[in-house]
Structure formats: C-alpha cells, structure tokens
Amino acid sequence: SGSVLPKAERFVGLIDAYVQAIEARHEARLLWLARLQWIALGGMALVLLLTLLWFSRRVTQPLQQMAQAAQRIKNGDLSVRASTEGAGEIAQLGLALNHMVAELAQGIATLEARVEEKTQALAQNQRSLELLYRIKQRLSDQEPDQATFDQVLRDVGEVVALEHAAICITESEQAPLAFRAVRQFRPQTARDRREPAA
C-alpha cells in the first residue's frame, strides 16, 4: 500500500494539472469569444452608422430638397430645380420633377405671350375704333378743309405706324386738296426726295 499511495498522489496531481489546463484553455477561449463579440458589435455599429449616413445623404436629403422645391413651385417660383443626386428612383423622381417644372414654365411663358399678343391686338382694335370715331366726328361736324385733313392724318399717325400718308379726294372739284393733304411721319431722306409721293 505504501507504493500505491505515491502513485495515487501523482495521478491526482496529473488530473489537477489537466483540469487546470482545460480551465485555462476554456478561459482563453471565452476571452477570445468576448473580444470577438465586441469586435462584431463595433463592426455592426459602424455599418449601421454608415448606412444611416448613406440613407440620409442619398434618400432623406434629396426628398427634403424635393419637398422644398415643390413648396417653392407652389408659390410660383418655376426657376427652382430639384436635386438629381439621390439613389435610384429618387434621382429619377428628381429628373421627372425638373422636366415637369421646365415644361410648366415653357407652357406658362407661351400662354403669357399669347395673352400679351391678344391684349395688344385688343388695344390696337380699341385704338382703331377710337380713330374711326374721331375721323367720323371731324369729317361730319363741318365741311372738310386742309386743316381738317391735316388733323385726320395726325390722328392716323398716332395710331398706325406710317412713313407717309395722303388723303385723296374722289370728287373732282376737291382734287387739288389731295396734293396738299400729305403728311410725312419721319424725316425725309434723299431716296424719299427722289421718289414721288403716293
């Protein structure tokens, strides 16, 4: 029995050393696993942060700019353009919005030009009617003479863009007045002096 006890003690010591080695190895693995978890958690946080930054830059900010552009368009500012730097469909939406605003501005400009043209035509018609009324009054109030014809030509020159004008009397006894009731609406040039008045 004396020889068995030392062997048993050595065996127990070996078992204790083996257990301690297993525990140390297990603790090292746990420490490595904890570090790996922290690294993974940091990587996930970094990926999440980068995703949020990308989403803000490529989605949120372009949408906010489009909303601001839409508000300015609603207020009548057709010079505004939306951002086209968004991701995918966001960029396509910005391009479509800009195309729509450009066509709207062109349509409004065309409509304003037509309205201006119609307004000028109406104003011209109004001036023409007033001119006809004044001429009728001048010619019907009294017997026309040289002063009356001169005034009629002045009235015509205020409404119609003319270079020369003449009133030709059809009745034979008043024919000489046709050559005296002539008015020139711009300075006479050498060419005008060479050409006879119509």
Side-chain angles (χ1 to χ4, degrees):
S1 68
S3 62
V4 174
L5 184 61
K7 292 180 179 179
E9 290 178 352
R10 287 197 300 273
F11 183 72
V12 170
L14 290 173
I15 292 175
D16 288 340
Y18 180 72
V19 169
Q20 289 177 0
I22 292 176
E23 289 179 350
R25 186 176 179 183
H26 183 66
E27 288 177 357
R29 288 183 176 179
L30 288 177
L31 181 61
W32 179 83
L33 182 60
R35 290 175 179 174
L36 183 61
Q37 288 177 343
W38 279 108
I39 292 173
L41 183 61
M44 291 175 60
L46 181 61
V47 170
L48 179 61
L49 179 61
L50 291 176
T51 302
L52 290 176
L53 290 175
W54 178 89
F55 189 82
S56 174
R57 180 178 178 183
R58 304 289 289 180
V59 177
T60 304
Q61 291 180 5
L63 287 177
Q64 290 177 347
Q65 292 176 359
M66 287 182 197
Q68 295 173 358
Q71 184 62 37
R72 291 175 60 183
I73 293 169
K74 179 182 176 182
N75 294 333
D77 183 6
L78 298 181
S79 64
V80 65
R81 292 294 180 268
S83 174
T84 58
E85 297 180 355
E89 290 78 5
I90 303 297
Q92 294 296 324
L93 181 60
L95 289 172
L97 181 62
N98 291 341
H99 182 68
M100 180 191 69
V101 172
E103 287 190 345
L104 181 61
Q106 183 178 2
I108 290 177
T110 302
L111 182 60
E112 288 178 348
R114 290 181 179 175
V115 169
E116 178 65 21
E117 181 181 351
K118 295 296 183 182
T119 302
Q120 292 179 359
L122 288 174
Q124 181 65 29
N125 290 339
Q126 179 68 24
R127 290 193 297 270
S128 298
L129 290 174
E130 293 175 354
L131 172 63
L132 292 175
Y133 178 77
R134 288 199 306 269
I135 292 175
K136 178 182 176 296
Q137 289 296 109
R138 294 187 190 283
L139 296 178
S140 62
D141 287 347
Q142 58 186 358
E143 184 69 24
D145 56 8
Q146 181 68 39
T148 304
F149 294 142
D150 286 341
Q151 187 59 48
V152 168
L153 287 174
R154 279 193 293 271
D155 292 340
V156 172
E158 292 175 0
V159 176
V160 183
L162 297 174
E163 295 181 356
H164 299 85
I167 296 178
C168 298
I169 307 300
T170 57
E171 295 182 9
S172 58
E173 63 271 18
Q174 294 180 335
L177 293 177
F179 300 98
R180 296 201 303 272
V182 177
R183 180 170 177 79
Q184 185 174 341
F185 294 96
R186 64 176 174 80
Q188 191 176 29
T189 64
R191 179 179 178 183
D192 297 331
R193 286 192 291 271
R194 289 194 302 269
E195 296 177 354

